[in-house]
Amino acid sequence: MPVSFPPALESSLDLLRCPTCRTRRLGPGLGALRCPVGHTFDIARHGYAGLLTGTRATSGDDAAMVQARDRFLSTGAYAPIREVGARLAADAASERATVVDVGCGTGYYLAGVLDQLPGARGLGLDTSVRALRSAARAHDRAAAVAWDVFRPFPLADGMVDVVLDVFAPRNPAEFHRVLRPAGQLIVVRPTGRHLSELRGQVPAMVTIDPAKEQRLHQALNPFFEPVVTEQAEYSASLTRLDVLDLVAMTPSARHVSRSDLNDDGLLPDQVTVSVLATAYRPR
């Protein structure tokens, strides 16, 4: 049985370009996207389009990580992070904006932006097919596409109003190319205080580079200038299961062994959540 064409994906077709041809538009086929010369890309039954070609990107999100992320985000512990990103996006764009979330994961942050912009459409890019299954269902105006942030995006030049990047890798040159001249890039990243109590108890967790802000500035400065920065910092009360999911949903899951988490007295029941969110305009 052919896969039905997702309405949100159909509304984003004018944005999409064939990743093989690079310039030709993609159109709807029978359960697929197709360019004029015949390159074809399947639409999964879960509703996302697979545009990755050649060597498959290594995904950071396997099934267990995605399930842990879904459970943790459903607690609302990161809702203030979602709110600050959505507020910056709403300040930067009209209600009928086009929003692209790079490294969208399960679509949690993109859905928050779309809730603030009632006429906007969203497109999430991620390498994890497990995460994209959730992202394709995260919002009725959000489409989802399998893509690698480090490759040239399968998107047209200058058609995006907001590029959203929350805890995700960055490709400044591609962000700049796809944004409209009046568009904005919104980057959300952790400060050195983020989850400090948990990192103190579980040293095997991935640390935050003290030079992170300097490296961010160096990478973005040729393409963007900052407009406004907001900080969200607060204490979150967590159950033991919440903490286990918080560890399991991040790259730290690859470094933390079961024995690191087995001691009932080891894990904190409160953690500091601390992030910076900056809106940038293209140079």
Side-chain angles (χ1 to χ4, degrees), residues 38-75:
H39 297 122
T40 302
F41 307 91
D42 290 340
I43 298 172
R45 62 186 177 88
H46 301 281
Y48 66 88
L51 298 188
L52 280 171
T53 59
T55 305
R56 184 167 295 279
T58 301
S59 170
D61 293 0
D62 58 22
M65 291 173 73
V66 171
Q67 290 163 3
R69 181 173 290 110
D70 270 336
R71 289 191 299 267
F72 181 80
L73 293 177
S74 72
T75 69

Side-chain angles (χ1 to χ4, degrees), residues 76-220:
Y78 275 9
I81 299 177
R82 180 160 109 153
E83 289 164 7
V84 71
R87 184 168 63 253
L88 288 176
D91 289 344
S94 70
E95 288 190 358
R96 302 193 64 80
T98 295
V99 182
V100 171
D101 185 355
V102 179
C104 66
T106 59
Y108 175 76
Y109 298 104
L110 178 58
V113 172
L114 295 177
D115 282 343
Q116 288 294 312
L117 296 170
R121 58 176 177 173
L123 178 67
L125 308 179
D126 206 284
T127 57
S128 168
V129 297
R130 296 287 185 172
L132 288 166
R133 292 177 182 180
S134 296
R137 304 189 304 267
H139 198 281
D140 59 3
R141 286 182 275 117
V145 168
W147 194 252
D148 181 355
V149 63
F150 298 112
R151 303 185 192 183
F153 298 168
L155 302 175
D157 295 353
M159 290 186 63
V160 178
D161 298 291
V162 174
V163 169
L164 184 66
D165 185 287
V166 183
F167 300 144
R170 291 173 286 274
N171 187 335
E174 282 298 282
F175 292 169
H176 190 274
R177 180 183 67 80
V178 303
L179 274 169
R180 300 183 193 277
Q184 289 196 8
L185 165 67
I186 296 170
V187 178
V188 180
R189 67 280 187 195
T191 76
R193 294 180 297 281
H194 186 59
L195 308 183
S196 56
E197 299 87 354
L198 184 55
R199 296 179 197 281
Q201 295 282 15
V202 187
M205 286 186 66
V206 174
T207 59
I208 296 173
D209 182 357
K212 188 178 186 70
E213 283 301 299
Q214 182 181 0
R215 290 191 294 107
L216 176 68
H217 175 75
Q218 289 175 343
L220 294 182

Side-chain angles (χ1 to χ4, degrees), residues 14-28:
D14 61 318
L15 293 176
L16 297 177
R17 295 295 180 266
C18 174
T20 303
C21 299
R22 297 287 301 278
T23 57
R24 292 185 173 91
R25 289 180 62 162
L26 291 170

